[in-house]
Amino acid sequence: PPFRGKGIARSLVESLEEAVKKWGYNDLVLLVEASNTNAIGVYDRLGYKLVEERPNEQTAYLDGGSDTGKARSVEKRGTLAYLYRKCFDGEPGVLFFRDEKDEEAKKSEVDVASSPKEKVDFALQEDHGDMWPEVKQILVKRKAATSAEAMARARYSAVKFKDCSFLAATERNEGKGIAERVDIWRISLEGRTDYVDDSIAWFEDILDGLSSAFGQADDMKNLQSVEKFEMLGATEDIVHFKIFCKSGKVLEEKDKYLPDNQYGFIYSGDSEMYDW
């Protein structure tokens, strides 16, 4: 954080551009997670154009650290990501992509004139209305929530963007440490089991934790692709809402939240209602 806002990221990208030009290339393509609005802002200012949206791109990220109880490691996850491109000569070009249906390389003309947008901001505005700026501060900047409702909204957006670390950090689950809660959310939102210990007993324990804390594991798979959030009511510590999934399933929850020194409010792990 102390080094943010000093133009370091911009300088790094500009240095990369100069290196690419020396290598004889006229184009530079960058992949960025949708929730990384700071990086997207840098790319926009440097003239990069949004050319493709990838709903479930496998991206790498640095996981662990003192706040998670796990050692630092490079992990992968499936998340919404954007492909940004800059043509140094200003001419439209062609990108190659792999068609998932026939797995044959094909060419696709890129609409370089498309205007890049803050897609995350748009999604937050659509889901949260006037509260979207606070939700962004909580989810992206990790600022403390001023209300239980704001935290519940941020947690919904974390589900949408598959931010498992945020979800694990802003909830209580008796008997489960934060590292284990991260694993539970990864299984639920990403369908990943490749990182889980080979021990069947350990894996079953993870699934038990998923079912006991958040409902049936099979139902939780619906949260891998959510569509709409509806707030039904909120008090100082109780939040009542619905989550509409693209599968057609609807989750209705009435959750209790607790004050927290770091995050403002966190989900207590207790729900007055949890119905699919």
Side-chain angles (χ1 to χ4, degrees):
F3 297 99
R4 290 176 180 168
K6 300 183 182 296
I8 296 174
R10 183 187 182 99
S11 297
L12 287 172
V13 176
E14 289 175 337
S15 296
L16 177 60
E17 291 178 356
E18 291 303 314
V20 169
K21 291 176 184 177
K22 290 179 181 178
W23 296 336
Y25 295 100
N26 294 322
D27 301 275
L28 186 58
V29 178
L30 300 168
L31 187 70
V32 58
E33 290 190 359
S35 58
N36 193 352
T37 55
N38 290 332
I40 290 173
V42 173
Y43 302 150
D44 285 346
R45 289 190 291 273
L46 287 173
Y48 285 80
K49 303 295 183 182
L50 177 62
V51 295
E52 187 178 342
E53 181 175 324
R54 298 183 174 182
N56 192 30
E57 180 70 13
Q58 291 295 314
T59 61
Y61 68 100
L62 188 62
D63 191 27
S66 58
D67 59 334
T68 66
K70 299 179 67 175
R72 287 283 190 183
S73 62
V74 176
E75 302 288 347
K76 290 183 179 181
R77 62 184 168 199
T79 187
L80 177 63
Y82 302 132
L83 199 67
Y84 275 77
R85 183 175 185 233
K86 185 174 182 179
C87 303
F88 302 129
D89 58 10
E91 293 295 325
V94 175
L95 283 183
F96 289 89
F97 72 100
R98 183 166 295 279
D99 191 309
E100 294 181 357
K101 292 183 180 179
D102 55 21
E103 296 186 355
E104 293 179 359
K106 296 182 180 179
K107 293 181 180 180
S108 175
E109 291 294 333
V110 175
D111 179 14
V112 295
S114 61
S115 176
K117 298 179 180 179
E118 290 285 355
K119 288 291 191 76
V120 170
D121 287 3
F122 178 80
L124 293 177
Q125 289 178 54
E126 196 171 45
D127 290 331
H128 307 297
D130 293 340
M131 289 190 69
W132 81 266
E134 182 177 2
V135 174
K136 181 178 180 179
Q137 289 294 312
I138 298 167
L139 182 62
V140 179
K141 305 293 186 181
R142 297 303 201 248
K143 300 293 185 181
T146 59
S147 67
E149 178 184 350
M151 176 53 74
R153 289 178 175 276
R155 283 176 57 82
Y156 164 76
S157 292
V159 168
K160 194 170 197 175
F161 293 118
K162 305 186 191 312
D163 191 338
C164 300
S165 295
F166 179 83
L167 289 164
T170 57
E171 69 187 4
R172 279 190 181 176
N173 186 354
E174 294 299 330
K176 307 292 181 185
I178 188 167
E180 194 170 350
R181 296 200 302 271
V182 170
D183 288 346
I184 289 172
W185 277 110
R186 283 178 179 165
I187 292 173
S188 175
L189 299 184
E190 300 173 16
R192 288 186 56 206
T193 59
D194 53 292
Y195 60 87
V196 179
D197 190 281
D198 290 336
S199 166
I200 295 177
W202 165 244
F203 181 63
E204 289 181 346
D205 185 54
I206 287 284
L207 292 180
D208 287 343
L210 180 61
S211 298
S212 63
F214 309 110
Q216 294 300 315
D218 287 343
D219 285 331
M220 287 296 290
K221 292 178 181 178
N222 292 292
L223 295 180
Q224 292 178 11
S225 186
V226 294
E227 193 167 35
K228 178 184 174 184
F229 179 84
E230 181 181 344
M231 179 60 62
L232 300 177
T235 64
E236 184 177 342
D237 61 347
I238 301 293
V239 185
H240 186 193
F241 59 88
K242 286 183 178 180
I243 294 177
F244 296 81
C245 305
K246 291 185 179 179
S247 64
K249 289 273 193 174
V250 179
L251 171 62
E252 183 173 356
E253 285 192 58
K254 196 171 185 180
D255 298 337
K256 183 176 182 178
Y257 282 75
L258 299 172
D260 182 78
N261 291 332
Q262 181 176 357
Y263 293 100
F265 288 86
I266 61 171
Y267 170 47
S268 69
D270 296 326
S271 300
E272 294 183 5
M273 178 187 297
Y274 188 98
D275 293 326
W276 283 96

